[in-house]
Amino acid sequence: MNQSPSGDGANESLQPLEIPGAIARIKSKIVVLSGKGGVGKSTVAANLAAGLALEGLRTGLLDVDVHGPSIPRIMGLAGVKPEMAGDAILPVEWNWNLKVVSMGFFLANPDEAVIWRGPVKGGVIKQFLTQVAWGDLDCLVVDCPPGTGDEPLSVLQMLGEDATALVVTSPQDVAIDDVRRSIGFCRELGNPVLGIVENLSGFHCPQCGTVHDIFKSGGGERLAESAGVPFLGRIPIDGEVGRAADQGEAYLAVKGTSPAASAFKRVVAAAVRHAAGRGREASGDA
Ligand SMILES: [Zn+2]
């Protein structure tokens, strides 16, 4: 980035620095939202991106959570600094098919709490969407901060109405109410909803191999039904998923055959179908 994000940031004259058509070269865009924090949204975003890459799609993962970027840790990229080519940010290659950019790459101390005014956050997000040399992508996955605040608003406005939302929730009722708000937010902006996924839904027990319901579950499915959006499944709590994330090996979750891996694959499949649809529209033979 050509200006320190923690500087005063009042003079965002970003226009001349944009990579022409950067967003136009991205076939499909999936914005990962959640009503509130603590539902494992970043883990879902990371596994979705890794899964898409493993399916052979050219994938980008953009983490715009300026307050608590967790993608570098989950993807095993903590401490990595992206290179610049002129004014363009070169995304970090996680593998041959997956390029990653996170706010965390640009923080001097990843643990610091960053407090930025809304316009500054908007400027940083704009830089991420227009100054990153993503190249040609089949799918860009954007991990947003929780809620319906400035950052998700900026992301959806800048990506436009063809960006679709993946809404992550947990089974509790209080989370479900927040998700209702997230769906209303997308509708207001004119963005479609790819679906709702219920994360942390039951516990995959290593002892007996089955999934135990530890909270009430099914709220995500009922909400999807009443809101008329697809329900993409329940992802159980699985120690292996957490361990993989701690070791920066998000892909383990989609490679395996556990209930969590199967659930992740279902979300990946929905995203693959969406990207395929976008590709047809782009080439005009829909
Ligand atoms: Zn058990």
Side-chain angles (χ1 to χ4, degrees), residues 10-285:
N11 54 336
E12 277 116 17
S13 50
L14 300 174
Q15 250 67 15
L17 303 177
E18 291 178 14
I19 302 170
I23 293 180
R25 292 176 67 182
I26 302 171
K27 234 193 260 174
S28 68
K29 299 134 194 157
I30 297 177
V31 178
V32 184
L33 302 174
S34 68
K36 66 181 192 71
V39 301
K41 174 183 49 61
S42 294
T43 303
V44 173
N47 280 287
L48 170 59
L52 286 167
L54 291 170
E55 288 290 322
L57 277 73
R58 295 163 299 175
T59 307
L61 174 59
L62 174 61
D63 171 17
V64 299
D65 192 339
V66 295
H67 300 290
S70 46
I71 291 295
R73 180 185 60 81
I74 295 172
M75 302 302 285
L77 299 173
V80 170
K81 298 287 171 211
E83 290 178 27
M84 305 288 294
D87 291 323
I89 301 164
L90 300 183
V92 174
E93 296 200 359
W94 187 76
N95 73 6
W96 67 98
N97 255 347
L98 177 52
K99 298 172 180 175
V100 181
V101 170
S102 167
M103 192 59 238
F105 293 160
F106 300 96
L107 301 176
N109 171 9
D111 296 325
E112 76 188 302
V114 184
I115 299 165
W116 290 333
R117 288 171 292 118
V120 179
K121 285 190 286 194
V124 171
I125 289 170
K126 184 169 185 186
Q127 281 188 308
F128 279 163
L129 293 177
T130 58
Q131 281 180 248
V132 174
W134 295 109
D136 293 311
L137 291 184
D138 295 308
C139 189
L140 176 68
V141 177
V142 185
D143 184 19
C144 281
T148 53
D150 292 339
E151 297 97 331
L153 180 65
S154 298
V155 167
L156 287 172
Q157 284 177 335
M158 287 176 204
L159 288 179
E161 290 185 2
D162 63 339
T164 188
L166 173 66
V167 183
V168 183
T169 185
S170 64
Q172 294 88 339
D173 284 340
V174 53
I176 298 294
D177 288 341
D178 289 328
V179 172
R180 213 182 301 272
R181 210 164 300 132
S182 298
I183 291 173
F185 172 77
C186 294
R187 293 214 162 127
E188 234 168 82
L189 291 168
N191 291 89
V193 176
L194 182 71
I196 295 175
V197 61
E198 190 174 287
N199 192 32
L200 310 177
S201 183
F203 170 68
H204 180 222
C205 173
Q207 246 84 53
C208 68
T210 64
V211 174
H212 300 296
D213 278 324
I214 47 176
F215 301 115
K216 189 172 63 163
S217 67
E221 186 164 15
R222 282 193 298 277
L223 175 63
E225 217 166 272
S226 75
V229 300
F231 181 64
L232 299 178
R234 305 172 48 194
I235 304 171
I237 297 168
D238 182 330
E240 289 304 313
V241 175
R243 209 174 349 267
D246 286 342
Q247 294 171 356
E249 296 172 335
Y251 73 100
L252 280 184
V254 290
K255 263 175 72 176
T257 54
S258 66
S262 308
F264 278 124
K265 283 175 184 166
R266 196 171 155 198
V267 177
V268 171
V272 168
R273 284 195 300 277
H274 173 73
R278 297 299 312 161
R280 274 198 304 282
E281 284 170 43
S283 61
D285 56 30

